[in-house]
Structure formats: structure tokens, C-alpha cells
Amino acid sequence: MDEKSSRNQTPINNAKQEQMDQYRIKNTGKPLTTNQGRTISNDRDILRAGERGPTLHQDWHYFEKMSHFVQEEQPERVVHARGYSAHGEFECYQSMKHVTMACFLQEPGKKTPITCRFSTVQGPRGSYDTARDLRCKGVKFYTEEGNYDLTTIGMPVLINQDPMQFPDMIHAYQAKQDDDIPTATGAHDYFWDYVANNPDSLHMVTWIMSDRGILRSYRMLESWSINTYLFVNDRGVATFVRFVWKPVLGVHSLLQDEAIKIGGLDPDFHRKDLREAIDKGYYPEYELGVQLIPLEDEFKYDFDILDPSKFWPEELIPVQLVGKLTLNRNIDNYHTESEQAAFNPANVVPGIDFSNDPVLQGRLIAYHMAQVHRMGPNFQELPINKPLCPFHNNQRRGPMRVRIDVDQVDYHQNSLANNTPYETPPEEGGYEHYPKKVEGHVIRARSESFNDFYSQIRIFWNSLTPVEKQHTIDGFSFQLGKVKSESVRQQNVNQLANVDKELASIVAENIGVEPPTGSHLPISTSYASLSQESTPKYAATLKVGVLIGNGFNGGEVAAVLNFLQQNGVFVEIISDKLGTVTGADGTKIKVTHTFITTSPYLVDSLYVVGGNSGNQENFDQYVTEYVHEAYRHYKPIGIASTGQPYIYTSEHNNLAGVVFAANTPNFGEEFVNAIAQQRFWDRT
């Protein structure tokens, strides 16, 4: 990552933001009014008959204010309820016109404004960011040919093979019907009963139980389209395509107990992380990749390319990077720019069409219905959803209709308006579906080629490092350990044996059931692309907690902090109270957090300076606790010359990833390299 390339840039003024500016209203410094523009002289007291008398129905101001308040929340999403957004742009790397007419992929350097929303799946809007769950990413491209919505998820496989299953899966996954518990987790009987009885679900569940299910940051999310689409070029030639977003910062995760504790310490952890990076000018970047398969190669592979529960291995079907997404502006209003953002995979532009992927076909219907339920039939007129290009049709009326259509003819095939709005021929840019061949009997059945449930899960397991495998075992053991039904626990262990006999046996022992009798498939294939081991690693934008008191070595500490900031590391100054700490030479540093307002779980590494305090025993206890937790979670630790008393060398620790300023002339560089490494798994 070129750290300077994404720093200190002025957010780009693009056409979409200029369009939205006309809807942005600043209320500061303005007189208070009703929605009708009536100025208000008293917004504090309801109208009464005397100071102690009853209130009066004629208080129209109170009625308007309170009625809006009790109705201002629209229905939240059934899934993806907890989310957050940012704005940005997409820049095309190279022309893809040989395979698609999609306007945003025609010319190198072409920029398209976008809005992006990240979300979890299971929890309600008031749940927490770091839950073990599927992460989703929706990107709305505001192109000159209309809006294109690219919806992706943080795993290359989906939990079900048919859209008919989706309501059942979500019913099983979400909080139980009787007690509405648990929140933001599938660690309960009903979900795992579903998994045990729907073998096509185990593949995605295994990904969620791995490190992929507990993401460090939205900025580090790799996500896939899952479904198979079609690219269509100007000669009418179609190509199968799947999309993937590759984060420039690499793919990084939390540990299981970190994710759980952060959920309580700071439920907005991912939201704050995204906003802070953008505010500081370190704009999140993601490269868009495509995997392409010619139509004639549809049956070339040992998996069905239309099966959404199967990934397309990058080693067999290479990812071609075609552009970069940069998030360079935070939202101004959560409700209007994130909660009301409406995505739909059916929103495509000429050059992108749909395959016979069954789940994709089901999604094309479900998304629009969901948005109409939440916001009404005119949700497309909301500023965040409104396209940049003009739109004209014969749709009229409905709740919250904003536009004022002044023509009286609102039907097609007319003479009074010269049959306008008119149709656009395909050769002039009108959207035309690819004429794919369809044949067969009308039946409710699934292709036999979808029925290999375990081969790819076995490949995924083979591809993980020993550390990643242990984390996945921990994920299964935690979630299944919450299941009360011994039968459901046993069924899942028996199914896990198809993935790996040792995995299933360890989990069985951890959750108190019999070891499985079956065994895994004899498959040794592995793909490096499925592991996070080789992901890019940078120190920039990672957070260092500086544990400091008075009397520190001013020259040494100032030099280190300056070096960290030069390398894009985010610094948090932590002490026993807010204010400033003063070095032995008079250097003053402002404290941003206290030991009780933050936590070692909320930073990626520590710089232990130490120092003096009015309550030295309490100060030392906190520093020791922070060091212990950071060391236990394999995080990098930098030790200033005054901080050495807080860490001890013994035969039981090897101090891997601990960098001492004493006798290390290039301490700053060594510490930054350790921060970039993020975890030291060989630590004892």
C-alpha cells in the first residue's frame, strides 16, 4: 500500500454529491419552526389550562412534534439490519469492453460515484458490530445509464442452494421465537438444528466459524458476489462472471474472545473505525476483481458454477483486477444516507445480466419487495437512491411521491403524447436481456450437480494454517457448546466428520458428545487464496495504545510518536486521568483516553512508556493488566526505556513481537514492522 496515495486528499466533488447537496439542509443559526414554516416561541412547555391545569388538544405544535417522534422509525431490514455507510468513487483500471458493455468498465481512468453500505446479517439494528456473523457489502454505482447495485458478502459461498430455503434459514438463525434470545448470534439450538438437517449450509457455516466470521474492520473485508452473473458485450456474446472486492489493507480478523468483549466495550467498533480512517484521510480502498468463464466451459469443472454454495477457486479461475473503489466521504445523516439506502441485485446496466443461478433468480424478486415494505413504492426517489441520469416512465402516485409529473398521459401505446416516454432500441443503448437458451420440464427439483456438499469444505479446511484451524475449532466449540440439545450437538459433530475427522473429534470432546463414526473425504487439495496467511500487512491505520504517566523521557517518546504518525499509525494516549502528562524535560502530551474509558481489546498494539502517577499502585496495576492482555492476544508491544519494569523475561515466555527501545538504535522502524505483523502466533 502506498500510504501517501490515500492520505490528506480532499474528498472528491462528484456529480452524485452535487445532486445530494440540494437536499442537505443546515439548521444551525436558523429560527425554530413547524414543518409548515410557522416560527415557534416556546418549544419547552405544552399548552395548559393554567400552570397546573390539564393540557389542551389545540396544541398543534405539540401534536406535530410528538406524532412525528412516535412514527419516525421505519421498519428495519429483516436481515442486514445493522449497517453503516460511506461515499466514494470507483476508478476503472482497464477497458473490459471485450466482454461487457457496462459503462463504468469501458475506459481506463473512468470514475463513477458510489455509495457503500456494510452490514451484519443476524442481529437487529441495535446489536453490535463485532458479532461472529456474515459481513455484507452493497455498492451502488451511480452511472450515466442508471444505478448498478453490486451486492457482495464476506465469504465466497452462500448458506443455501435454493431461494425457497432462505426464509427457513433466517427463521432458524435469528433470535428464538419464544424469548427473542440470543441477539446477534446463531449459538442456539434452532440454528444448529437447521445446519444439521441441511447439509448445503455447512460450507458457509464453516467459513463463519473461521477467522472470516470475526472481522477486524470493514476496511479489511474481502467480499464476493456469490451469485453467477453474465457479462454481455456489444456483439451479444455472453460470459459467466463472479465479482470479488479485495481490500488493499489485506484481510484481518479478531480473536473470538476479543470480538465478544469488544461487542460489550464498544458495540460501534467497526462504524467508528470506518469514520476515523476517512476523517484522517486514510481512505479505505478495495480492488474489484472479476472471474470469467466462457459459456462453453459451463461444465468444465468438478463443481457446478451456478451453485451459490460453491466457490470458484482463484487458482483455477484467476481473478482479474479491473478497478478500485475508494471511500472518501463519511455520511452526514445515518437515516437518510444509510438506513434508507436500498440495494437490489436486479439493478443492472446494459452489459450485465443474470445467469440461471437459482438463488440469484430468487433475490431478483425479494429485494424490491423488501424495500417497498420498508419505505413505500417511491423509495427510488429518495436522494440516496435517486439515479444521476434522468428517469421517465408511467408510474404515478403512491405514498411519499416527491416528483410532480405534469403530463396527463400516463400509459404506454398512446397518440396524445406521441407514444412517449418512448422505448430505446438496444442498438441505441436500451437494455436488452441476453437471449439465453432455456429448456426443460417445469418441476420442483435441484440439479444433481449441486449435491456434493463436502468436497469444497474439505478443501477450505486443508487450506487453513494450524492457527486458523484452531480458531475454527474454537468457533464450532463455542457455538455448539451453547446448544442444549445433545442430539443436535451430536448430529453436527457427525456431519463435521465429512469435513475432517480430527476436527469433529476435538469438537465432540469439547461439547460433551460421542466422537463421530464417519470420516472425511480423501481429498488433499488446498488453495492458498482461501487462507488469510498471505494477506497484505501494513502498519498504517492500525491503532497503538500508548501507556504513559509523568516523568517520561521526552526526547525518546516524542521521536517514537512522530515516527509512528509518519507511518500512518493511529495513536491513542492512555493514562490514569485526562489532561496532559509531562516528561522529565517538560515535554507535554495530551491524554486522549483513561485506563477505564478504553481497553487493551480496542487497540492493535501497545507502546509501554510507564511513568509516575499520584496513585502509582493503581497506575502500575492498569499498565500490567494492559500488557498482560496484549501479550496473551499475540499483539505487538513496544517497550520504552522507562517501560521495562512492566514486562518480565522468564523461561515461560519468548517475548516474540516485543520490541525494546533499550539497545535498539532503530527502535521506531522495528516497532512499526512489528505493528504491521499484527499477531505473533509463535509467542509463548
Side-chain angles (χ1 to χ4, degrees):
M1 176 186 181
D2 182 357
E3 294 163 356
K4 293 183 180 180
S5 69
S6 62
R7 290 184 59 188
N8 303 322
Q9 299 179 21
T10 301
I12 296 169
N13 293 319
N14 58 50
K16 181 60 185 177
Q17 294 306 316
E18 291 171 2
Q19 181 196 59
M20 292 183 67
D21 281 344
Q22 63 184 304
Y23 300 99
R24 292 186 169 110
I25 304 296
K26 188 173 182 180
N27 298 292
T28 306
K30 303 297 194 318
L32 184 69
T33 74
T34 66
N35 288 329
Q36 289 73 41
R38 239 175 304 183
T39 53
I40 301 299
S41 62
N42 185 324
D43 189 48
R44 293 153 289 143
D45 303 305
I46 197 169
L47 202 62
R48 298 178 176 89
E51 291 182 355
R52 299 176 61 79
T55 60
L56 304 179
H57 284 184
Q58 72 183 59
D59 193 346
W60 43 264
H61 173 45
Y62 169 77
F63 180 79
E64 179 189 273
K65 182 178 181 180
M66 184 56 70
S67 62
H68 187 280
F69 171 72
V70 299
Q71 299 177 73
E72 65 187 10
E73 292 303 326
Q74 66 191 32
E76 69 176 34
R77 292 166 170 87
V78 177
V79 290
H80 312 295
R82 183 167 183 83
Y84 209 70
S85 298
H87 303 301
E89 67 172 11
F90 174 81
E91 181 176 359
C92 181
Y93 282 165
Q94 57 180 303
S95 174
M96 297 298 292
K97 62 176 57 178
H98 60 290
V99 289
T100 180
M101 296 181 291
C103 52
F104 65 97
L105 293 175
Q106 294 302 291
E107 300 295 336
K110 180 178 176 61
K111 296 181 179 180
T112 304
I114 65 93
T115 195
C116 176
R117 183 178 187 269
F118 302 92
S119 62
T120 53
V121 170
Q122 199 264 23
R125 200 175 69 186
S127 56
Y128 64 102
D129 287 348
T130 57
R132 184 183 286 279
D133 197 359
L134 174 66
R135 298 298 180 297
C136 304
K137 176 181 177 181
V139 178
K140 186 180 293 291
F141 295 75
Y142 301 101
T143 85
E144 64 268 28
E145 294 189 338
N147 291 351
Y148 169 52
D149 292 350
L150 177 54
T151 57
T152 58
I153 66 175
M155 284 99 193
V157 293
L158 196 60
I159 200 167
N160 50 274
Q161 296 177 329
D162 194 283
M164 189 72 83
Q165 299 172 282
F166 191 75
D168 300 301
M169 183 275 294
I170 292 298
H171 285 167
Y173 188 30
Q174 290 182 325
K176 303 194 304 297
Q177 292 295 302
D178 55 351
D179 55 14
D180 199 38
I181 297 172
T183 296
T185 178
H188 59 84
D189 289 53
Y190 300 150
F191 176 63
W192 287 98
D193 180 49
Y194 179 90
V195 174
N197 288 279
N198 292 271
D200 54 331
S201 68
L202 184 61
H203 194 179
M204 180 173 169
V205 168
T206 303
W207 279 76
I208 294 175
M209 293 305 109
S210 77
D211 290 336
R212 300 274 184 168
I214 39 180
L215 189 70
R216 161 60 181 83
S217 168
Y218 289 143
R219 300 178 293 113
M220 302 167 186
L221 172 65
E222 184 177 20
S223 61
W224 292 261
S225 64
I226 300 301
N227 296 124
T228 302
Y229 294 83
L230 296 178
F231 268 167
V232 183
N233 65 17
D234 58 5
R235 294 176 286 109
V237 177
T239 305
F240 291 115
V241 60
R242 282 192 180 184
F243 302 90
V244 57
W245 290 110
K246 299 278 188 180
V248 172
L249 288 175
V251 185
H252 303 284
S253 300
L254 299 167
L255 297 182
Q256 181 164 261
D257 73 312
E258 287 179 318
I260 294 169
K261 289 184 173 69
I262 291 172
L265 290 164
D266 188 356
D268 304 307
F269 183 75
H270 287 156
R271 297 178 173 200
K272 290 180 179 178
D273 174 87
L274 181 66
R275 289 192 72 92
E276 181 180 18
I278 295 174
D279 282 342
K280 291 185 176 181
Y282 285 87
Y283 301 138
E285 298 173 328
Y286 313 82
E287 292 185 299
L288 179 62
V290 295
Q291 292 176 283
L292 304 174
I293 297 178
L295 292 192
E296 59 269 23
D297 290 345
E298 179 176 358
F299 303 104
K300 175 181 177 181
Y301 303 94
D302 59 3
F303 56 90
D304 195 316
I305 68 169
L306 300 184
D307 182 353
S309 71
K310 305 297 190 298
F311 56 76
W312 291 7
E314 294 184 14
E315 286 78 1
L316 302 181
I317 309 160
V319 172
Q320 184 176 352
L321 299 178
V322 299
K324 182 169 71 174
L325 168 67
T326 302
L327 299 179
N328 53 32
R329 176 170 180 155
N330 277 314
I331 57 175
D332 295 309
N333 185 292
Y334 169 78
H335 182 76
T336 54
E337 296 177 82
S338 186
E339 187 63 16
Q340 291 190 152
F343 296 90
N344 185 351
N347 292 342
V348 294
V349 292
I352 300 177
D353 209 328
F354 316 113
S355 76
N356 291 335
D357 178 330
V359 169
L360 174 60
Q361 293 290 324
R363 294 177 69 208
L364 299 179
I365 298 173
Y367 278 65
H368 184 84
M369 292 189 298
Q371 307 302 353
V372 170
H373 167 68
R374 294 180 61 240
M375 293 176 285
N378 291 309
F379 69 88
Q380 298 97 329
E381 294 186 45
L382 295 170
I384 194 65
N385 300 318
K386 188 176 181 179
L388 277 175
C389 62
F391 59 100
H392 306 283
N393 53 51
N394 292 312
Q395 297 174 20
R396 299 290 188 269
R397 304 182 182 179
M400 305 303 293
R401 184 74 170 180
V402 175
R403 60 188 282 155
I404 302 172
D405 299 282
V406 298
D407 27 21
Q408 302 304 308
V409 177
D410 57 358
Y411 51 90
H412 196 58
Q413 296 294 85
N414 67 74
S415 61
L416 295 177
N418 296 319
N419 204 26
T420 58
Y422 57 82
E423 299 168 327
T424 301
E427 56 271 18
E428 296 179 17
Y431 189 91
E432 182 180 45
H433 287 279
Y434 177 72
K436 58 179 179 285
K437 184 179 180 181
V438 178
E439 61 183 16
H441 299 285
V442 177
I443 57 174
R444 292 189 185 273
R446 201 171 302 181
S447 172
E448 289 291 330
S449 58
F450 280 35
N451 288 342
D452 180 3
F453 301 123
Y454 303 112
S455 293
Q456 281 204 342
I457 321 179
R458 174 67 182 169
I459 293 172
F460 175 60
W461 177 257
N462 292 342
S463 304
L464 300 180
T465 65
V467 169
E468 290 174 312
K469 287 181 177 179
Q470 182 58 54
H471 293 167
T472 306
I473 291 171
D474 293 343
F476 276 114
S477 300
F478 177 87
Q479 295 247 331
L480 284 169
K482 295 278 189 177
V483 173
K484 297 178 181 179
S485 168
E486 182 176 347
S487 171
V488 170
R489 298 200 304 271
Q490 187 68 62
Q491 291 176 65
N492 277 280
V493 162
N494 293 342
Q495 187 174 201
L496 277 176
N498 294 292
V499 178
D500 186 78
K501 180 68 174 290
E502 184 180 14
L503 159 68
S505 298
I506 296 172
V507 172
E509 183 176 2
N510 289 344
I511 64 174
V513 297
E514 295 298 318
T517 56
S519 189
H520 55 257
L521 300 171
I523 295 175
S524 59
T525 305
S526 64
Y527 296 123
S529 62
L530 303 182
S531 169
Q532 295 180 208
E533 173 67 19
S534 58
T535 195
K537 297 176 180 178
Y538 302 99
T541 79
L542 294 178
K543 192 168 290 185
V544 173
V546 181
L547 310 182
I548 191 168
N550 294 308
F552 57 88
N553 184 323
E556 175 190 325
V557 172
V560 171
L561 296 184
N562 183 57
F563 190 81
L564 292 175
Q565 291 167 345
Q566 287 178 354
N567 284 273
V569 177
F570 293 174
V571 173
E572 307 236 330
I573 308 299
I574 305 170
S575 193
D576 54 351
K577 56 186 177 182
L578 294 176
T580 59
V581 287
T582 305
D585 61 352
T587 299
K588 293 185 180 296
I589 297 176
K590 183 179 180 180
V591 177
T592 56
H593 297 277
T594 68
F595 293 120
I596 62 173
T597 62
T598 188
S599 164
Y601 293 97
L602 301 179
V603 294
D604 300 293
S605 59
L606 292 180
Y607 176 39
V608 183
V609 179
N612 305 320
S613 170
N615 187 340
Q616 193 67 43
E617 182 179 357
N618 188 60
F619 179 92
D620 291 343
Q621 182 177 344
Y622 271 118
V623 174
T624 301
E625 176 189 338
Y626 270 64
V627 171
H628 173 75
E629 291 301 321
Y631 194 89
R632 187 169 70 89
H633 289 93
Y634 311 98
K635 294 179 179 180
I637 302 175
I639 305 293
S641 58
T642 53
Q644 289 190 213
Y646 294 102
I647 194 158
Y648 307 95
T649 303
S650 75
E651 60 183 15
H652 302 296
N653 60 34
N654 60 11
L655 300 185
V658 180
V659 185
F660 293 89
N663 303 318
T664 307
N666 57 343
F667 169 76
E669 183 178 347
E670 293 285 341
F671 187 33
V672 166
N673 290 338
I675 294 169
Q677 183 65 29
Q678 301 192 34
R679 307 279 186 176
F680 290 84
W681 302 120
D682 59 340
R683 177 179 290 170
T684 58

